[in-house]
Amino acid sequence: MKEQKGQNETPQPDGVAIRVENLHKSFGELEVLKGIDLTVRRGEVVCVIGPSGSGKSTLLRCVNLLEEPTSGSVTVAGAEVTDPDVDIDRVRRKIGMVFQAFNLFPHLTALENLTIAQRRVLRRDKAEARRIGRANLGRVGLTDKEDAYPAQLSGGQQQRVAIARALSMDPELMLFDEPTSALDPELVGDVLAVMRALADEGMTMLVVTHEMSFAREVADRVVFMDDGVIVEEGGPEQVVAAPRHPRTRTFLNRVLDPAAAHVGEVPDGGPHDARIDR
Ligand SMILES: Nc1ncnc2c1ncn2[C@@H]1O[C@H](COP(=O)(O)OP(=O)(O)OP(=O)(O)O)[C@@H](O)[C@H]1O
């Protein structure tokens, strides 16, 4: 993978995309993260699961310094973001963030939502930004929606525009914070199918999710967090299917619904296949 090295950026050995070491985060008296160690390698899909309030979102927000850790270190794409001398905006450009809320500009079309940051942040000219935006709308199965405004799109389509927007910035890795939680159940599968296609393309992904089917079927590694610590981590065949720790078992017994819908199948034509777009 092409890497740009800058001030305070050092190559990471062994293809490491994210390294979190002894991370602590408190809000006042409340200690939310209590010494997290986590490594995500390039091309890996790591899902973080756990009860509400266990610190999953805070962990993700510390990775791109939306929250400042109380102590510990976080290295992303070769830069230690917890080093105060690091240019955090430069590092953030390498990270695609997808949140529960889509945060699209309501007065801009889908394509314009994809081009604005490319032009402002990456200084791409209009034609180039539109070309790249269109290609990424294609990746999420929304080629025919480039002129639609967010209000004219379903929640699932809006989230796919948000994913396409992140992809248009050529991220080295993507962070997803419960990207399907705000969606009607029938729209969840389309978004998960797009995420699954990205995983198949080799995108590095750190995903906080309540979608156990995604964790089970797509993740290379599943991390179970509870009360600010990582209780158990390993392949989905272990953590989801045969958890060792009683706290993991208790959590999974509560959330696993055997009747839950599975992740949408990746269409034969891959992410460009129109069948993703219903
Ligand atoms: N900015 C903040 N100020 C104060 N407390 C916060 C802040 N952000 C998070 N918290 C608290 O930290 C704890 C962990 O929150 P966090 O959102 O990381 O949990 P989570 O595991 O992602 O939960 P959920 O699955 O419900 O999203 C919660 O008790 C929350 O109220």
Side-chain angles (χ1 to χ4, degrees):
M1 183 176 290
K2 193 178 72 170
E3 275 208 278
Q4 288 183 312
K5 304 287 174 234
Q7 191 192 13
N8 298 310
E9 294 179 34
T10 50
Q12 286 293 289
D14 308 327
V16 171
I18 301 171
R19 191 187 299 285
V20 174
E21 289 174 303
N22 200 19
L23 179 66
H24 290 256
K25 174 66 184 173
S26 297
F27 295 103
E29 296 288 294
L30 182 67
E31 193 182 13
V32 174
L33 300 179
K34 304 172 181 175
I36 300 286
D37 291 295
L38 177 68
T39 299
V40 180
R41 300 168 65 80
R42 289 212 187 97
E44 237 188 343
V45 178
V46 175
C47 282
V48 182
I49 62 172
S52 183
S54 55
K56 306 180 298 296
S57 296
T58 304
L59 169 63
L60 217 59
R61 292 169 66 77
C62 284
V63 168
N64 64 0
L65 228 59
L66 288 174
E67 295 290 355
E68 195 168 344
T70 306
S71 65
S73 79
V74 178
T75 302
V76 185
E80 189 180 332
V81 298
T82 33
D83 178 342
D85 293 333
V86 151
D87 178 354
I88 186 64
D89 288 333
R90 190 170 186 279
V91 182
R92 281 206 191 106
R93 273 173 224 161
K94 301 179 183 185
I95 307 173
M97 264 307 285
V98 177
F99 298 92
Q100 184 177 338
F102 329 122
N103 298 322
L104 301 177
F105 289 114
H107 61 292
L108 299 181
T109 66
L111 185 58
E112 288 164 350
N113 265 284
L114 267 57
T115 56
I116 187 164
Q118 293 185 63
R119 301 197 63 201
R120 286 189 184 164
V121 179
L122 301 181
R123 303 270 168 222
R124 286 182 180 145
D125 67 37
K126 189 174 177 181
E128 174 79 341
R130 287 174 73 83
R131 185 184 66 72
I132 291 169
R134 284 200 178 102
N136 283 304
L137 282 177
R139 280 171 94 178
V140 301
L142 290 176
T143 300
D144 58 336
K145 299 292 185 194
E146 68 171 61
D147 293 324
Y149 289 90
Q152 297 170 315
L153 299 172
S154 72
Q157 290 170 331
Q158 289 185 60
Q159 189 59 297
R160 283 147 64 196
V161 172
I163 294 171
R165 175 180 56 188
L167 290 171
S168 296
M169 305 299 281
D170 297 333
E172 285 186 23
L173 61 134
M174 305 253 308
L175 308 180
F176 292 84
D177 192 359
E178 299 186 18
T180 56
S181 307
L183 302 178
D184 291 337
E186 72 272 18
L187 302 175
V188 167
D190 289 351
V191 172
L192 294 182
V194 166
M195 292 170 60
R196 173 181 228 165
L198 284 179
D200 289 345
E201 288 176 14
M203 176 63 75
T204 307
M205 295 163 62
L206 181 58
V207 184
V208 171
T209 186
H210 293 292
E211 295 294 336
M212 289 306 131
S213 59
F214 185 84
R216 197 168 40 214
E217 295 169 23
V218 183
D220 296 303
R221 206 142 45 84
V222 178
V223 172
F224 172 66
M225 272 183 76
D226 194 8
D227 195 20
V229 297
I230 293 177
V231 173
E232 181 166 355
E233 70 173 283
E237 71 289 349
Q238 181 219 309
V239 177
V240 183
R244 293 187 182 135
H245 200 286
R247 278 154 80 182
T248 321
R249 284 200 290 273
T250 304
F251 169 74
L252 288 168
N253 282 340
R254 218 171 49 230
V255 298
L256 272 182
D257 173 7
H262 277 230
V263 178
E265 293 298 317
V266 180
D268 294 340
H272 304 279
D273 192 298
R275 277 173 293 171
I276 293 178
D277 183 19
R278 285 185 189 151

